[in-house]
Structures are given as C-alpha cells and as structure tokens.
Amino acid sequence: MTDQGLGYGTEAWGQGHPYQGGQQPGSDPYGMPGGGYPQQPQPGWGAPQQVVDPYQGIPAPRDPYATGQYPVHPVQQPVPQQPAEPSGPVLGPDGIDWVAAAAALDAEAVQVEEVPVEVPYEEEPAESYEESYDEQAYEEDEDGYAPFLAEPDDSRSGQRRRKQKGKSQRKRSGVACLGMSLLLVGCVAGGGYFGYGFYQKHWGPPPDYPGEGAGLVTVTIPAGATGDAMGQVLADAGVVRSKGAFDAAYGKNSDADSIQPGIYTLPMHMSAADAIADLIKQNGGHSLIIPEGLQASAIYLRIDSGLGLKAGTTAAVAKADVGQLGLPSYANGDIEGFLWPTRYSVAPGMKPEALLQQMVSTAVQEFSSLDMDAGAKGVNLRSGYQVLIEASILQAEGNNPKDFGKIARVLYNRLNGTATNGELGLDSTIEYYLKTDHFGYAQRLQSDDGYNTYINKGLPPGPIGNPGEEAIQAVLNPTPGAWNYFIAMSPIDTEFAITGADFAKLDQQYCTEHGEGFDPVHVVCT
C-alpha cells in the first residue's frame, strides 16, 4: 500500500483522482508544503486519541488505517481556479466522502477566519474616519440642520459643537420669545388704539379742546349762518377742535340763537362751550357794523366813535400806516374798497390799526373766495381789481339788491357797446371825486383825473366805496338784457330803458316828482 500524502487508500492520489490534472504528489493543493498544517506529535500508532480542532473544537475522526495521519485543515488562502467537479462523490473504504467532509471543514474555516479579517483597521484611523464623517458628510448648515439619522458624535470636538449649538439655540429661542412678546404687545396696543379711535369716531363724543384757549384770531360769521355753519367757520379757523363739538355745545346753550353775523376776535384752541359763551358776550357787548357802500372817510368816523377816539384819529392812522395794513400790491396804497362791510367786535383799549387790519384781511379773503380774477374774464374786465371798481359803482348807484343784476348789465353794455361810446356817464364817480353830491352841468365837463365818467371812457382808476358780496356777484353775473340806461325813481324802484328817448322821459318824470325843472337838451333836472 502506497501513501503519497494526498489521501487515504490503496492507490496513489495522483492516479484516477479528480485532482490529478494539476497537482503533484507530495504538494498541498493550497500551496502549503508538507501537505497541510504541521502534525502534532503522537504517542504512537495504534493508540489513537482525541484531537481537538483549534478552530471549532470538534473532535477529529480516528485514523481508520493506523497510518498516524489525520485529516488536515488548510489555511484560508486566495482560492485558485478550481478544476471541474467530479461527476459523483468519491467514497473511502469506510463509506465516507472525505473530500466532501474536507470541503465542509474548509467552508467553516473560511467563516471562522473572516471574523478577524473585518477588524484589521486600527482604532486611530477609525476615529479619524468618524471625525471626517461627522464634519463633512453630516456637518450642520448655518441654519443648524443635520441629517435625521446621523449617529451622535461622542468625541470632544462633537461635545463642544453640541454645547455651542445648545447655547446658540437657547439664544435664538430667547430672541424669538422676546420678538413674539413685543409683537403681541404691539398688536394689543395697536388694536386698542385703533379700536378706541373707531369707537370715538362712531359713538364717542366729538373731539374738543379744553379750557379758554390762547392767542387771537379773527373770524367772520356770515349773514344767515346757522349753528352748523358757525361751527364750521370756527373749526376752520382753529378756534374749536371740531364742528361736532360746537354743534353739541350750541344745542345746550339757549342763548346761542342770539349770535349775530359779523367779525369776532376769539382765542384759538378753546372749548366749544367757551367759544359760544364768548360769541354771545361779544354779540351783546361792543360792536361796530359797517354797511355796504360806505366810503373810507365815513368808515373812519365810525371807528373813532366805536373806539371812543377823537374824530380824525383813524383817518390819520390809515394815512400814516397804510403800508402796515396788509393791502395787496395792486391796490397801490389805496385802502378804498378794502374795508369789508360786516359786523366787527370791538373791545376797550383796541387800537384803530388792529381794526383796520381786520377789515383789510377780511376783504382779501372774501375776494379770493369769490375768485374775482378768474371771473373778470367772463365780463370783459382785465382783473379782479376792475371787478371791485365796477362793484363799488354799482353799490353806490343801486338802491335795491334785486335790481343789481340789471344795473350790472347796463354798466356792461355801456362799457362794451356804442350807445354811450364806452362812457359810463354817472354822477356817483364825480361826486366821489368832488366829495359832494351837489354839482352843476358845467362841472361835468371838467377834467377830474379819470373819475369824470362823462368825459372819460371806461372805469375810474379806483373804487369809489366798499361794496359787499351781492354787488360783486352781480358784476360777475349780470342779468341778460339790452338796457343802456337806468334811473332810481325811489329807494325801492329802479326803471330801465334801452334808448336815449325812453330814458329822457323817465328822467323828466323823476324831476317832476321831486319838484325840479327839466332840461331836455342835456336831460338833467334844473
């Protein structure tokens, strides 16, 4: 019996063996010399003993042939290209397929050897790998985001980052809480403010100033003004805070209906109740009423009388301080026409300068509200000042406001037609210049620096009195008609004519009714 170290049996393994194609006798099929692992010393052939496998602890089989050799477990090595498997199992004399058993042991050895193979990495590289893994693959972005399934980093650097992150989160949480608190406080405060404003606007009392106010302002209460209109005037001037407050106070004061139209001097920012009380007080106290159409010389005398001054005092002040009275530049220093006719409140110790300033200021405001400059173009006049001049003539000539529109049409037709060759031909302008209402026919022919409208075409250079709103409105809106003449038959009756012949008849009738003669050539009373 021959044994070449390749197996067990009566024949050498190189003959008829499935590995005979590439193995040499005496060599290990896995490249280990000696045919496998080194053998353990044996006590002798025929005294077999249990042999422990160092890898599995499984008892080794006895040597069936008493050769002193035992199956050997090869070391895991890279497996070379395997030859083709035999078609059937090769059994030993004992009926055991030792080749298959060896292959099973090889597979178990591979499993046993693979466990330590997975731990060839040293600990330091592993820690370095985790550090790199944490900082790069799962590094938090600037918003603090990290992957959901990332493993916690227990290194010192990871702990520091977690502490810093906790501080940052706590800080952001505190800032967020503070911001939300401020936002809630702001919303509550804003809602309360607007809610209170809404309540005040719809159901609360109208806003009002407290106390008696301070400073002084001049206001004009127009004729026929109701309590509502008075409240609007005072609110616009800053005397009271709201019209609603004035209306409420007006309804509570039984004497409020006694307030008269006119100009009042009142403090600013006063309560509505105090404003009404002051209006009533001034209304029952000292006041100065300037009617429409008065000339400046007549108004001066009224001011002297109202303020308890010597006659001529106000005239002297008006002449000396004309530049301080607030006249517009187009007036050329002429105060005539700018002493607005209305009611003025006067108080003891009041200076004439103050009252004149009030009158001028009121007139300028009224002219602006009437838009006289724009209206002048509609009646073929050059400026609002010419509207004022013509209105002063109409105010002096007319005796009944209901006829102002027709008189304005006569003036328009004379200035723009051929019936009188552009001459107004009115006594009122000469009377203003001569300072008298008695003059003869000869005086009509005198040159009088433009105020003689019998010989000078167009309007005189300035107003001849102080007209009111009705006269100004009539000039701006004359009644349509072809009249060229008018004559005041009585204080309440004015007659109009288109032709000169018809006017001569009316003039003769007037002279007769007043006990005077009549000159048919010059069409005047004698």
Side-chain angles (χ1 to χ4, degrees):
M1 181 175 61
T2 308
D3 184 4
Q4 299 182 7
L6 300 175
Y8 311 99
T10 58
E11 294 180 354
W13 280 36
Q15 298 177 2
H17 193 275
Y19 292 89
Q20 64 182 357
Q23 300 294 333
Q24 297 296 326
S27 64
D28 182 73
Y30 299 101
M32 296 292 294
Y37 283 59
Q39 302 293 320
Q40 299 293 332
Q42 304 296 328
W45 304 103
Q49 62 181 5
Q50 294 290 344
V51 179
V52 179
D53 185 76
Y55 299 98
Q56 297 294 330
I58 302 174
R62 297 172 182 258
D63 182 9
Y65 302 107
T67 62
Q69 296 183 0
Y70 298 89
V72 179
H73 300 287
V75 177
Q76 173 70 22
Q77 294 293 335
V79 180
Q81 183 72 28
Q82 297 295 330
E85 293 291 337
S87 60
V90 179
L91 303 178
D94 52 0
I96 299 174
D97 187 358
W98 289 103
V99 175
L105 292 176
D106 289 342
E108 295 178 356
V110 170
Q111 294 178 357
V112 172
E113 297 259 347
E114 284 177 352
V115 173
V117 170
E118 292 180 356
V119 194
Y121 304 99
E122 297 181 1
E123 187 172 347
E124 183 64 25
E127 180 178 353
S128 173
Y129 175 78
E130 291 180 1
E131 185 78 17
S132 173
Y133 182 85
D134 181 72
E135 290 182 357
Q136 296 181 8
Y138 292 92
E139 182 177 0
E140 295 180 353
D141 59 17
E142 60 182 10
D143 295 329
Y145 169 78
F148 177 69
L149 297 177
E151 294 291 336
D153 186 2
D154 295 330
S155 64
R156 286 194 297 270
S157 61
Q159 293 176 358
R160 286 195 300 272
R161 282 194 298 272
R162 285 194 293 273
K163 290 180 180 180
Q164 293 174 354
K165 178 180 177 181
K167 292 179 181 179
S168 176
Q169 289 177 342
R170 287 193 296 273
K171 183 182 296 184
R172 288 196 297 266
S173 297
V175 172
C177 291
L178 177 60
M180 287 299 297
S181 300
L182 292 177
L183 178 61
L184 289 175
V185 171
C187 291
V188 172
Y193 173 80
F194 287 108
Y196 177 76
F198 182 83
Y199 169 79
Q200 284 291 104
K201 181 178 180 181
H202 292 82
W203 299 290
D208 197 3
Y209 290 121
E212 300 178 354
L216 292 174
V217 64
T218 300
V219 296
T220 301
I221 303 298
T226 61
D228 187 74
M230 294 181 190
Q232 189 64 59
V233 170
L234 268 61
D236 292 342
V239 175
V240 297
R241 189 170 183 179
S242 67
K243 182 177 73 66
F246 184 89
D247 292 344
Y250 190 94
K252 295 178 182 179
N253 195 316
S254 59
D255 296 330
D257 292 336
S258 64
I259 298 175
Q260 299 295 318
I263 293 181
Y264 294 82
T265 302
L266 299 170
M268 297 182 67
H269 296 180
M270 63 189 311
S271 69
D274 289 335
I276 292 176
D278 207 345
L279 288 171
I280 295 172
K281 180 180 178 181
Q282 292 187 41
N283 185 61
H286 298 287
S287 63
L288 178 63
I289 298 177
I290 305 299
E292 294 88 344
L294 287 184
Q295 296 177 4
S297 57
I299 295 175
Y300 296 154
L301 294 175
R302 286 180 178 248
I303 294 176
D304 289 340
S305 176
L307 298 180
L309 302 175
K310 182 181 178 180
T313 301
T314 303
V317 169
K319 183 177 180 180
D321 299 334
V322 65
Q324 308 301 321
L325 301 180
L327 289 171
S329 59
Y330 61 80
N332 297 317
D334 185 4
I335 198 174
E336 195 74 80
F338 291 91
L339 302 177
W340 186 256
T342 189
R343 179 187 181 279
Y344 295 91
S345 298
V346 295
M350 189 176 189
K351 301 296 183 182
E353 296 93 334
L355 191 52
L356 290 173
Q357 288 171 352
Q358 288 185 25
M359 293 179 176
V360 172
S361 175
T362 303
V364 173
Q365 292 177 9
E366 293 292 336
F367 298 159
S368 177
S369 66
L370 293 171
D371 202 9
M372 291 164 58
D373 283 325
K377 298 178 181 179
V379 289
N380 205 23
L381 296 175
R382 294 193 300 269
S383 65
Y385 189 53
Q386 283 200 329
V387 174
L388 177 62
I389 294 172
E390 184 175 335
S392 69
I393 297 173
L394 187 155
Q395 189 85 65
E397 293 284 346
N399 57 3
N400 191 343
K402 72 177 182 65
D403 294 325
F404 280 3
K406 288 185 176 182
I407 297 174
R409 175 56 64 184
V410 170
L411 299 180
Y412 177 90
N413 290 340
R414 289 189 180 187
L415 291 172
N416 297 280
T418 59
T420 60
N421 297 318
E423 298 171 352
L424 290 176
L426 301 172
D427 291 346
S428 57
T429 57
I430 299 177
E431 291 173 356
Y432 178 79
Y433 176 74
L434 297 176
K435 308 300 181 188
T436 180
D437 57 354
H438 295 87
F439 58 90
Y441 178 77
Q443 292 174 300
R444 290 184 179 181
L445 303 179
Q446 296 177 355
S447 175
D448 53 11
D449 201 17
Y451 282 89
N452 188 341
T453 55
Y454 283 98
I455 61 176
N456 295 300
K457 295 183 179 181
L459 295 170
I464 62 172
N466 294 273
E469 181 178 355
E470 288 181 313
I472 294 174
Q473 290 283 16
V475 170
L476 294 174
N477 303 281
T479 302
W483 311 289
N484 293 300
Y485 305 92
F486 69 92
I487 183 172
M489 306 299 290
S490 70
I492 61 173
D493 181 28
T494 301
E495 296 292 336
F496 296 87
I498 297 176
T499 65
D502 291 336
F503 172 70
K505 294 177 181 179
L506 292 173
D507 193 29
Q508 183 177 7
Q509 179 182 346
Y510 174 85
C511 296
T512 303
E513 291 178 355
H514 288 78
E516 300 181 15
F518 175 70
D519 182 355
V521 176
H522 301 98
V523 192
V524 294
C525 295
T526 59

